[in-house]
C-alpha cells in the first residue's frame, strides 16, 4: 500500500489532500451555521473564470482563481448585507456568470479549449505540481489562521449578527473576511476535489459531525478529522482504482455521514426522551430523604 509514496506526484497529491481535509471543514462550519451551504458552489463557478484568465494571461491559474473568486465572494456578501438582492439571487449570479465567463475566456486563450478546464472542474491527482503545493500550503495557512484564530468572533457573527454588532464586533469586516476565506478554500481544493465538488467537502463533514457532537469545538474537531480521513482515503483510492479523486472523496464523505447518522440515532432518541421526561415532584415538607 505504501508504494504510492514512491511517486512524487502522489506525494504531492496526498499532501494537498491533507491540507484540503483540514481547511475545508474549518471554513464550512461557519457557512453551515449561517445557512450558506451552497456558497462554495457559487464561489467555485466564479473561480472557473479565474482559472480561464490564468490560461489567457499565461500565468498560474491558482493565483488568478484566488483573486477572481475572492472578488466574487466579496460582491455576493455585499449584495446580501445591503439587502438589494436576496442571497439566492446573488448565488445565481455567481453560478451563471462564473461559468459563462470561464467558458468564454478559455476559448479566447491561445490554444485554449474547455478541455483545459476538466482537471479543475473535477480534480486530478496527477496534475498537482510543486507550484500548486506552494500555493495550497500558503492559502491553507491563511484559511486556518482566520478560521481558528478568529473562531470566537466568527461564531458570534454567524450565530447572531445583531447581537455581535451590539457587542462592538466589526460585523461587516468579519463577514467580508469570511467570504474571502471561503474563496481561498475553494481555490485550495480545486486541484484535488474539483470546483464542482468542493462545496461538498466544506459541508458534509460538518453536517456529519453535528450528528454526533454537541458544542462548536467538538463539532469543529470531528469535522476536520472526517475531512482529513475522507480526503486521504479518496486520493489513495483514486490511485489504485483509477477513478476521479473528487467524486471518490465526496462519496466517502457521504458514506461517513450515513454511518454517523445511523450510529447517532439511538443517542439522539435518548436525548429527546430525557428532554421530554417530566421533572420529579418535590418531596413533601418534613418528609425524610
Amino acid at each position: 500500500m505504501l508504494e504510492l509514496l514512491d511517486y512524487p506526484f502522489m506525494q504531492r497529491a496526498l499532501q494537498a489532500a491533507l491540507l484540503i481535509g483540514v481547511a475545508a471543514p474549518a471554513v464550512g462550519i461557519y457557512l453551515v451555521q449561517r445557512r450558506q451551504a451552497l456558497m462554495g458552489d457559487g464561489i467555485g463557478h466564479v473561480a472557473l473564470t479565474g482559472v480561464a484568465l490564468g490560461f489567457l494571461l499565461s500565468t498560474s491559474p491558482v493565483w488568478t482563481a484566488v483573486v477572481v473568486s475572492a472578488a466574487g465572494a466579496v460582491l455576493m456578501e455585499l449584495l446580501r448585507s445591503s439587502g438589494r438582492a436576496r442571497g439566492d439571487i446573488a448565488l445565481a449570479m455567481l453560478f451563471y456568470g462564473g461559468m459563462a465567463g470561464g467558458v468564454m475566456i478559455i476559448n479566447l486563450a491561445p490554444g485554449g479549449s474547455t478541455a483545459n478546464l476538466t482537471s479543475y472542474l473535477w480534480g486530478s491527482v496527477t496534475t498537482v505540481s510543486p507550484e500548486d503545493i506552494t500555493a495550497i500550503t500558503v492559502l491553507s495557512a491563511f484559511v486556518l489562521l482566520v478560521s481558528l484564530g478568529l473562531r470566537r468572533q466568527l461564531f458570534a457573527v454567524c450565530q447572531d449578527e445583531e447581537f455581535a454588532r451590539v457587542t462592538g464586533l466589526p460585523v461587516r469586516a468579519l463577514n467580508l473576511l469570511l467570504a474571502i476565506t471561503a474563496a481561498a478554500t475553494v481555490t485550495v481544493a480545486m486541484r484535488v476535489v474539483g470546483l464542482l465538488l468542493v462545496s461538498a467537502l466544506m459541508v458534509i463533514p460538518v453536517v456529519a459531525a453535528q450528528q454526533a457532537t454537541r458544542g462548536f469545538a467538538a463539532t469543529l474537531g470531528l469535522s476536520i478529522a472526517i475531512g482529513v480521513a475522507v480526503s486521504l482515503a479518496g486520493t489513495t483510492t483514486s490511485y489504485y482504482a483509477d477513478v476521479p479523486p473528487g467524486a471518490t472523496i465526496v462519496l466517502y464523505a457521504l458514506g461517513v455521514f450515513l454511518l454517523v447518522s445511523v450510529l447517532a440515532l439511538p443517542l439522539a432518541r435518548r436525548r429527546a426522551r430525557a428532554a421530554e421526561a417530566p421533572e420529579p415532584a418535590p418531596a413533601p415538607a418534613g418528609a425524610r430523604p
Side-chain angles (χ1 to χ4, degrees):
M1 291 290 291
L2 295 179
E3 67 180 23
L4 79 168
L5 296 178
D6 295 333
Y7 301 99
F9 77 91
M10 280 306 301
Q11 296 174 7
R12 294 192 294 269
L14 290 172
Q15 183 179 348
L18 175 63
L19 294 172
I20 292 164
V22 174
V27 174
I29 190 170
Y30 301 108
L31 301 183
V32 171
Q33 185 180 359
R34 67 190 306 173
R35 295 178 175 84
Q36 288 185 318
L38 292 179
M39 184 177 180
D41 276 329
I43 296 174
H45 285 70
V46 172
L48 189 64
T49 297
V51 171
L53 191 61
F55 282 101
L56 180 65
L57 301 177
S58 299
T59 186
S60 172
V62 174
W63 292 112
T64 52
V66 170
V67 174
V68 174
S69 60
V74 168
L75 176 61
M76 188 189 74
E77 175 57 32
L78 291 175
L79 288 171
R80 183 195 68 84
S81 60
S82 67
R84 297 174 188 170
R86 298 195 311 271
D88 57 341
I89 296 177
L91 276 175
M93 290 190 293
L94 285 174
F95 268 70
Y96 306 134
M99 289 291 287
V103 172
M104 180 63 69
I105 293 174
I106 195 63
N107 282 279
L108 296 176
S113 69
T114 53
N116 299 116
L117 301 177
T118 302
S119 63
Y120 293 90
L121 289 173
W122 304 108
S124 175
V125 293
T126 61
T127 58
V128 181
S129 65
E131 293 76 16
D132 290 335
I133 287 296
T134 301
I136 290 172
T137 302
V138 171
L139 292 172
S140 296
F142 166 74
V143 169
L144 293 177
L145 181 65
V146 172
S147 59
L148 299 182
L150 297 176
R151 61 187 181 278
R152 296 183 184 276
Q153 293 88 337
L154 292 175
F155 176 82
V157 171
C158 293
Q159 187 73 17
D160 191 335
E161 284 193 7
E162 293 302 323
F163 177 77
R165 188 173 287 108
V166 169
T167 59
L169 289 176
V171 173
R172 172 64 66 85
L174 288 171
N175 280 331
L176 293 177
L177 182 60
L178 180 60
I180 294 172
T181 306
T185 306
V186 169
T187 309
V188 163
M190 69 180 182
R191 300 302 279 145
V192 175
V193 184
L195 292 172
L196 297 182
L197 295 174
V198 61
S199 185
L201 190 58
M202 298 170 69
V203 172
I204 297 176
V206 175
V207 178
Q210 287 177 335
Q211 310 300 311
T213 58
R214 302 182 70 177
F216 178 80
T219 301
L220 176 62
L222 182 57
S223 63
I224 290 176
I226 293 173
V228 170
V230 298
S231 297
L232 293 177
T235 303
T236 303
T237 302
S238 70
Y239 169 78
Y240 287 106
D242 192 22
V243 292
T248 308
I249 290 171
V250 172
L251 290 175
Y252 273 135
L254 288 171
V256 171
F257 168 74
L258 293 175
L259 178 63
V260 172
S261 298
V262 171
L263 295 178
L265 186 59
L267 177 61
R269 288 176 176 173
R270 285 198 297 269
R271 288 174 178 171
R273 286 197 297 267
E276 295 174 357
E279 296 184 2
R288 294 183 179 180

